[in-house]
Amino acid sequence: MEERKINNFLLNIFNVINEEKERNYVSEITILTIKSLMPSREEIGTRIDYERFKKEIELWYLYRSGENSSLLNSIDFSSKDVYLNTIDDSLYIRIAPIVFSNKNWDIINREVLKNILYTTGNIEAILEGLLISKILFLSANNDENIISKLKDEIISFSQIDFLDKYSEFFRVPVKEYSKKFIVDFERNRIEIINLLNGISSNKFKTLKESLLVIEKNILKDDFQIFSKGLYWMKNNIYLDEKESLKFHKDLCHYIWSLNRGRIDPDILTIEKYYLPDIFSFNEGDEFYHSLLNKCKVLKKENMLEGIKVYLATKSGIYVFKK
């Protein structure tokens, strides 16, 4: 996998999302996913550190720009229905760092499914997320037999094996699914197989667009951001070199280094988390935070609706609200 492919996919997406303020949460969740990647000590492979991931999402709640119900629900878990039935649109981009930081599809497969299940148990999201991660993996490695390998993947994707291996990662037991999980799972799996065989479907929008990109090299203005990123990667297109994206470019290089097995896990390991209350500091105060590193309070505002803190960190300026 070439580093430029990571850049052409992720940097372009960061660039576009930064112009869409109401969807900045997709970029934010992707970044915290990258920060939660941990290289294996036993093999060349990268997995998510879920202690870190959980703490990152809890912190994200305080600086979030836009939101969706699945992500918010994953923090306080107020609704089992939201978890089992709502599609989390942030998953389509945040799985990209998992794909790009690994060479081994078996590791990617497991880590993608676990990560999807952290925020949603929606069957459509699970199956679509798995297949678009496979598309991304095969495209990044210049595979020319993508459709046939997608068919093999979904045909062999047994619900029995899936539930046996992943039931512990569902945050709501499958038995609490309001309909018949097994029936809905098979219905969606068959619909994807039909889609891969050219039969139209009203579901799996991102997958449908991705198939148009890889089969016909088509890009439309109304495509989902994942499909656009896939097109830019496939056609080696880089939209704009912005100084504001330097941090994001560093992140992409970091992902590529993980893919090459060049990051020592000891550097990333947090033995004990130090997470001070950000709102307890005053303007001008400097402090250390395990997730943000060195911080300085630039401004603090007391308002009728709460407190707002402007915090300077290595990765940029965050605005925390409560």
Side-chain angles (χ1 to χ4, degrees), residues 111-199:
E111 288 302 306
V112 162
L113 290 173
K114 283 172 59 179
N115 196 255
I116 292 171
L117 290 172
Y118 192 89
T119 59
T120 179
N122 177 277
I123 295 171
E124 182 179 340
I126 293 167
L127 296 176
E128 185 172 38
L130 174 65
L131 286 201
I132 66 167
S133 67
K134 183 96 176 186
I135 288 174
L136 195 58
F137 173 71
L138 295 173
S139 298
N141 288 284
N142 301 311
D143 197 294
E144 296 182 355
N145 300 301
I146 295 178
I147 299 300
S148 64
K149 290 183 177 179
L150 290 177
K151 290 179 182 178
D152 290 343
E153 187 72 37
I154 193 65
I155 289 171
S156 63
F157 193 60
S158 160
Q159 60 162 295
I160 296 175
D161 289 344
F162 170 65
L163 291 176
D164 182 55
K165 293 177 181 177
Y166 296 94
S167 59
E168 65 179 294
F169 301 112
F170 275 83
R171 300 181 70 190
V172 175
V174 172
K175 64 182 179 182
E176 297 191 31
Y177 190 70
S178 60
K179 303 174 186 176
K180 290 187 176 180
F181 184 90
I182 293 174
V183 173
D184 279 2
F185 185 98
E186 283 305 304
R187 184 180 291 119
N188 277 276
R189 193 174 72 91
I190 291 170
E191 190 162 345
I192 285 185
I193 293 172
N194 290 337
L195 179 61
L196 294 173
N197 285 321
I199 299 173

Side-chain angles (χ1 to χ4, degrees), residues 255-313:
I255 292 170
W256 182 77
S257 297
L258 285 170
N259 180 280
R260 297 300 181 196
R262 295 178 179 176
I263 304 294
D264 182 353
D266 289 338
I267 298 174
L268 304 176
T269 301
I270 299 175
E271 297 292 345
K272 184 177 181 180
Y273 282 89
Y274 181 64
L275 307 172
D277 179 7
I278 290 164
F279 299 96
S280 68
F281 296 97
N282 297 314
E283 288 185 11
D285 286 351
E286 296 184 4
F287 62 94
Y288 175 80
H289 190 287
S290 292
L291 305 181
L292 298 168
N293 213 299
K294 185 179 178 181
C295 304
K296 181 176 181 179
V297 179
L298 298 179
K299 186 177 181 181
K300 186 175 182 179
E301 296 177 343
N302 291 296
M303 302 174 295
L304 290 176
E305 62 270 24
I307 303 173
K308 184 181 291 187
V309 171
Y310 296 78
L311 202 65
T313 74

Side-chain angles (χ1 to χ4, degrees), residues 17 47-49 68 70 126 130 144 148 218 228 252 290:
I17 290 177
R47 294 177 171 82
I48 296 289
D49 174 351
N68 71 37
S70 292
I126 293 167
L130 174 65
E144 296 182 355
S148 64
I218 290 175
K228 291 179 179 179
C252 290
S290 292

Side-chain angles (χ1 to χ4, degrees), residues 16 20 23 204-210 212-213 218-229 231-232:
V16 171
E20 302 174 2
R23 298 192 69 237
F204 312 112
K205 179 174 174 58
T206 300
L207 176 59
K208 286 190 293 185
E209 293 173 356
S210 300
L212 286 175
V213 171
I218 290 175
L219 175 65
K220 297 181 180 179
D221 289 340
D222 64 347
F223 270 14
Q224 302 295 297
I225 191 64
F226 177 92
S227 317
K228 291 179 179 179
Y231 179 88
W232 296 324

Side-chain angles (χ1 to χ4, degrees), residues 15-38:
N15 191 355
V16 171
I17 290 177
N18 283 348
E19 301 299 324
E20 302 174 2
K21 300 302 182 183
E22 72 277 3
R23 298 192 69 237
N24 260 359
Y25 68 88
V26 176
S27 176
E28 293 165 350
I29 294 297
T30 302
I31 290 170
L32 71 82
T33 301
I34 295 169
K35 292 169 67 178
S36 302
L37 293 171
M38 176 62 72

